[in-house]
Amino acid sequence: MGSISKVINVEQIREDFPILKRKFYGKPLIYFDNAATSQKPKQVIEAIRKYYEEQNANIHRGIYALSEEATQLYEDSKKKVARFINARRWEEIIYTRNTTESINLIAYTWGWKNVSKGDNIVLTVMEHHSNLVPWQLLAQEKKVELRFVDINDEGLLNINQAEKLIDDHTKLVSITHVSNVLGTINPVKEIGKIAHEKGALFLVDGAQSTPHMPVDVRDIDADFFAFSGHKMLGPMGIGVLYGKREILERIGPFLGGGDMIKSCSLSGCSWNDLPWKFEAGTSNVEGAVGLSAAIDYLNSIGMESIREHEEELTRYALDRMSEIEDIKIYGPKNTKIRGGVISFNLGNIHPHDLASILDAEGIAIRAGHHCAQPLMTRLGVTATARASFYIYNDKNEIDVFIDVLNKIKRRLKL
């Protein structure tokens, strides 16, 4: 049986998550779908409750104490996000709905103004649809070539191929920091250096990295970096786009409306300063408050410790799963370059059927193409099952998971 985590107090952490006390079909919930969304600690839930009970007001527009208090909460949250990812200035933090909207914002503002026929954009075969579809739409309209860096059999990017694909006509390189299918931690700093040497901008999809490991956008030297609050203990509906100030200042607005203008008349308008130029309309203050509380919670544990805990869990899970015959595991074997995501197939069981059987045992995993259909094609499958871990998971849950997988094998005589 699995031992207690060496780096964080999982038992104590679990007490902060009310939903983990639930049972399904009489079995304790084992939540292994953290790559899709994380659960929320009571500290985040309480911060949102307090906001609505004591601090709710529309920001920036009210010349009264309550509005000023809400405005301060909102702007303080941006400063906290900036520190969390080591941005130079809080004005470089733009709030969106999610990672998808953050990437679309760049595609529809910077992309439409700065790419044209003869240019190319370099992506990878492991991208989530959020970092594929916006560029496909842009490429179709602007007659731009999309190029894709391939992977090897272990799920690692072909860096030599990347160096060849990124050339003097490359305007943007946009890649995922951590694959939501393979768990591969990509060498983003190295790839960003290649991009910049060719004069291209560099965008990183940090949806699967920011919740799980230290992120330093200045060290990576990302021009743009996108992630979502709901995957890192925060509420749904709040996303982040980081962009270098000098680039954001040259880009026009994404949406038009209230709060994104400096002055306006019937003949035209001028745009507000950063980051408000990109935040039209009523802001998601609740989301900012919840995200702020989530960052406090993560910082109280320490991102280095969170990464170490998940690496320990992933190593243990890979070792246990490899004992099962007829199981196919995708992604790197080396947990130093792998996040806490394990996609797999068991014999000839369809992943949806496998997920349904596991659900009957109280185990929640994801099954399907994980919004990465081109990667599924590259792997030669239509779908996989996926288990993904976070701070409140432990080795004992993995043992239960393995026992159920073995029970399924026996039941179906695989």
Side-chain angles (χ1 to χ4, degrees):
M1 295 292 287
S3 59
I4 296 172
S5 172
K6 299 174 184 175
V7 289
I8 66 176
N9 189 336
V10 178
E11 186 175 349
Q12 181 178 321
I13 287 170
R14 288 178 65 85
E15 288 299 311
D16 290 333
F17 291 81
I19 202 168
L20 298 181
K21 294 178 172 60
R22 288 201 63 186
K23 292 187 176 183
F24 291 84
Y25 314 104
K27 308 287 178 62
L29 171 64
I30 295 177
Y31 186 77
F32 282 172
D33 195 21
N34 295 286
T37 197
S38 67
Q39 297 302 338
K40 320 304 173 193
K42 60 189 179 185
Q43 290 85 347
V44 170
I45 297 168
E46 173 62 20
I48 295 170
R49 184 201 64 76
K50 181 181 179 183
Y51 167 71
Y52 277 124
E53 288 187 353
E54 302 178 18
Q55 301 157 323
N56 180 51
N58 212 331
I59 64 172
H60 296 154
R61 302 178 179 91
I63 312 301
Y64 54 92
L66 189 60
S67 176
E68 291 172 356
E69 188 174 322
T71 298
Q72 194 66 52
L73 286 170
Y74 188 78
E75 296 186 358
D76 284 350
S77 75
K78 283 180 177 278
K79 294 171 185 176
K80 195 172 293 183
V81 170
R83 289 192 296 270
F84 190 69
I85 63 172
N86 197 30
R88 289 174 182 82
R89 315 168 70 100
W90 70 269
E91 292 91 346
E92 296 176 316
I93 303 302
I94 299 163
Y95 281 153
T96 62
R97 289 183 305 148
N98 43 46
T99 308
T100 301
E101 186 173 285
S102 295
I103 295 171
N104 272 271
L105 189 156
I106 296 303
Y108 282 95
T109 56
W110 175 87
W112 276 82
K113 288 288 187 182
N114 289 279
V115 302
S116 56
K117 188 175 182 180
D119 295 332
N120 68 72
I121 294 172
V122 177
L123 310 171
T124 79
V125 298
M126 66 170 69
E127 298 309 317
H128 189 281
H129 295 164
S130 296
N131 198 31
L132 172 64
V133 178
W135 308 118
Q136 288 180 330
L137 292 170
L138 181 67
Q140 289 165 10
E141 291 292 329
K142 306 287 281 186
K143 311 303 180 190
V144 172
E145 179 188 3
L146 294 185
R147 298 177 175 180
F148 298 93
V149 182
D150 201 2
I151 56 173
N152 63 18
D153 291 340
E154 200 179 352
L156 303 177
L157 285 179
N158 185 332
I159 302 300
N160 290 334
Q161 184 191 29
E163 289 178 327
K164 294 174 182 176
L165 292 178
I166 301 168
D167 61 21
D168 293 335
H169 297 286
T170 303
K171 284 297 182 74
L172 178 75
V173 177
S174 187
I175 73 167
T176 183
H177 195 172
V178 177
S179 168
N180 72 311
V181 175
L182 301 169
T184 307
I185 301 174
N186 287 318
V188 289
K189 188 174 179 179
E190 180 181 353
I191 294 171
K193 187 170 183 288
I194 297 169
H196 289 146
E197 285 173 352
K198 293 295 184 179
L201 294 188
F202 185 48
L203 186 154
V204 178
D205 173 355
Q208 298 295 338
S209 63
T210 314
H212 303 284
M213 61 188 67
V215 164
D216 186 330
V217 293
R218 281 194 272 177
D219 182 61
I220 295 170
D221 199 17
D223 297 300
F224 308 111
F225 191 95
F227 60 99
S228 296
H230 73 94
K231 295 181 189 291
M232 51 186 288
L233 309 183
M236 293 184 177
I238 186 84
V240 175
L241 172 66
Y242 157 82
K244 289 180 179 175
R245 181 171 184 166
E246 60 271 21
I247 300 174
L248 293 177
E249 285 180 337
R250 296 196 301 265
I251 300 174
F254 182 38
L255 300 173
D259 214 29
M260 50 73 65
I261 55 97
K262 182 169 288 184
S263 64
C264 199
S265 69
L266 294 179
S267 59
C269 301
S270 61
W271 313 135
N272 207 343
D273 298 329
L274 291 177
W276 319 122
K277 175 173 69 172
F278 295 105
E279 296 187 15
T282 296
S283 300
N284 181 3
V285 186
E286 169 206 317
V289 168
L291 179 58
S292 181
I295 289 174
D296 286 342
Y297 193 93
L298 292 173
N299 283 335
S300 72
I301 301 170
M303 295 309 297
E304 292 281 3
S305 295
I306 291 170
R307 170 63 187 144
E308 191 176 342
H309 169 67
E310 290 183 18
E311 189 180 341
E312 184 183 310
L313 276 186
T314 305
R315 187 183 306 114
Y316 183 75
L318 288 171
D319 288 344
R320 292 296 322 271
M321 292 173 75
S322 65
E323 299 168 3
I324 302 172
E325 292 183 8
D326 297 322
I327 197 168
K328 171 66 175 176
I329 299 172
Y330 304 92
K333 296 181 177 65
N334 182 359
T335 55
K336 293 294 181 186
I337 52 173
R338 180 178 192 136
V341 176
I342 302 177
S343 290
F344 66 99
N345 277 310
L346 182 60
N348 59 1
I349 306 175
H350 193 283
H352 289 166
D353 295 331
L354 183 61
S356 181
I357 298 170
L358 286 165
D359 175 57
E361 300 288 338
I363 302 172
I365 68 163
R366 181 69 45 161
H369 54 65
H370 315 297
C371 293
Q373 285 182 288
L375 179 56
M376 295 293 110
T377 300
R378 175 64 179 82
L379 297 174
V381 296
T382 56
T384 69
R386 184 185 73 189
S388 50
F389 314 122
Y390 209 13
I391 53 176
Y392 36 69
N393 294 127
D394 61 26
K395 292 178 182 177
N396 290 327
E397 290 182 313
I398 291 171
D399 287 333
V400 174
F401 174 58
I402 297 299
D403 288 346
V404 173
L405 290 180
N406 281 316
K407 189 192 323 183
I408 292 169
K409 269 182 59 65
R410 290 192 299 270
R411 186 189 308 169
L412 299 180
K413 297 182 172 56
L414 293 177

